Structure formats: C-alpha cells, structure tokens
Amino acid sequence: MGGMGTDANDTSALTKKGHSCVRLEKGGRTLVIDPGGFSEQDAALGADVLLVTHEHADHFDELRLRAAMEANPAAGIWTLRSVADQLSGAFPGRVHTVGHGDTFEAAGFQIEVHGELHAVIHPDMPRITNVGYVVDGLVFHPGDALTVPERPVKTLLLPLHAPWNKFSEILDYVRAVSPAYVYDIHDGLLNDNGLAVLGRMLGEGGPGTGGAAHGHLTPGESVGLAR
C-alpha cells in the first residue's frame, strides 16, 4: 500500500473500551473503532477519528457517535454506506463513506480498508456489509468477519466469541493472518469461565496460535504498540 509516511511508525497505545471497541492514541490524537452499545459509555468521547465496521448495535451506537462529534467539531467518521446514511444529515461533510481497497489519512493516522461482508450467522439471515481497518500498517480490526488483510500486520484484534464463529475458525484465522501479537475483541458475551477457557486454548494449554503472542485486555486496560 502506498501513502505510508514516516510517522506511521508512531502509534503508541491501544486501549480496550469494552467488547469490540478500541482506542488508538499517538501524538495527542485519538482514533476510536466501533464504539457500540456494549462498549464503555465514554468510549467515543475525545476521538478525532471514528471508524465503524458495520451497522450492528454492538459496534454502532448512534448516540455515542453523536456525542463525540458534538464534543469535537473537528472529529470525523469513516464507515461503510449502511452506517453513513444514518448519520450524514446531522454532520455534513464530516461523515465519509469507505469500502474495500480504500486508503486515507485522518488526524495523522494512515488507514486502509479491508473486507466487504459480515461473517455468516446462519443461511436464513441475509449477510450485511462489513469492513475492517488497518491502522498505520500496524494493527487490524476486522469487525465481524475473519478477513485476512492483503498485507502483513503485526497486531491482530481477534473476534473471540460471536454467534457466527467457533474456536477452530478463530484459531485458523490467527494462523492465516500470522501476526506477532493478538488481542481479544468481541468478548462482551463471555463470562469469566468462558474467557478462561478460550484464553487457555489460545495459550500454552491449547493447540497454539502459530507463534503469535495472545493477550486479553480488560476494559480500560492499555498496551503499548511498536513495530
């Protein structure tokens, strides 16, 4: 991918904000992905860049997004059309529609869009659109899909548990992406027992991730990111 400047190496911190929501911070700027209904109430506040992978309520909460946009008149939202159409009238010129293959810069973050469709929940349920985001060539958030990005990434945010996945699929997904680090997302439906079982399976007590180091962040917990 082109357009990656030297400051693409500066992404410094990732913070879990509950379920599938994460914050990335560098140089005084903040990017938030998927502040949905299962994330912390203030998950989107303070964001300069807001990315939404798809329209399901656990990823897209209109009130959280509106609060963030109203608090920061310079903030913008980048998302697929199904979400953008619900927001663009309220924030003209600040809601941007993106799709697979797009690249753009926002508030100093370099962002690539990968993927097109949500994973299959059941054949009786129509598939909706879903995109994932690679930020600064470093970390990939796939939304609700097991999209293998068309480029290497060091850190993968792994949808750990959902009505549309099973353990063998997520393990094979980690191996296919082949990151150095894996952090759980999409874990809001799990209790402590479920987290412990899946954590063990992705760690030394399981079949192995193919070399990726697996970590679980609690809401509000942060980790440093570096190339």
Side-chain angles (χ1 to χ4, degrees):
M1 297 282 182
M4 301 293 286
T6 56
D7 67 348
N9 297 321
D10 295 338
T11 297
S12 58
L14 178 146
T15 303
K16 180 76 172 288
K17 297 300 288 183
H19 194 53
S20 277
C21 182
V22 297
R23 294 171 71 97
L24 291 165
E25 297 173 279
K26 70 171 183 180
R29 298 297 185 93
T30 299
L31 178 150
V32 175
I33 307 176
D34 279 3
F38 294 171
S39 58
E40 295 178 307
Q41 191 63 42
D42 65 349
L45 292 178
D48 301 289
V49 181
L50 292 150
L51 306 179
V52 181
T53 63
H54 66 288
E55 65 195 86
H56 284 162
D58 55 328
H59 298 256
F60 164 48
D61 184 281
E62 185 172 347
L63 292 180
R64 282 174 170 80
L65 291 173
R66 286 178 178 271
M69 295 286 278
E70 290 165 359
N72 180 2
I77 297 172
W78 284 260
T79 186
L80 35 65
R81 182 164 300 281
S82 60
V83 173
D85 285 348
Q86 300 181 54
L87 294 167
S88 57
F91 304 102
R94 298 171 63 194
V95 179
H96 312 276
T97 301
V98 296
H100 176 68
D102 288 342
T103 62
F104 58 95
E105 180 179 348
F109 293 94
Q110 302 285 342
I111 302 160
E112 306 165 10
V113 185
H114 295 260
E116 299 181 81
L117 290 171
H118 192 287
V120 175
I121 301 173
H122 188 274
D124 289 352
M125 300 176 66
R127 293 178 75 182
I128 62 170
T129 51
N130 176 98
V131 294
Y133 300 102
V134 172
V135 180
D136 286 343
L138 178 62
V139 57
F140 181 52
H141 188 308
D144 276 7
L146 300 181
T147 301
V148 177
E150 298 171 357
R151 50 114 72 239
V153 291
K154 187 170 185 180
T155 301
L156 173 66
L157 303 179
L158 177 66
L160 185 65
H161 174 262
W164 47 266
N165 70 14
K166 60 184 179 180
F167 177 76
S168 62
E169 294 173 337
I170 65 169
L171 178 58
D172 287 345
Y173 177 56
V174 171
R175 293 176 176 179
V177 176
S178 190
Y181 302 99
V182 176
Y183 294 101
D184 300 332
I185 57 171
H186 215 286
D187 53 7
L189 297 179
L190 288 171
N191 61 18
D192 289 344
N193 291 332
L195 290 171
V197 169
L198 290 173
R200 184 171 65 251
M201 293 294 287
L202 288 167
E204 294 181 358
T209 58
H214 170 252
H216 179 79
L217 302 176
T218 58
E221 187 176 358
S222 299
V223 64
L225 297 178
R227 288 189 182 277

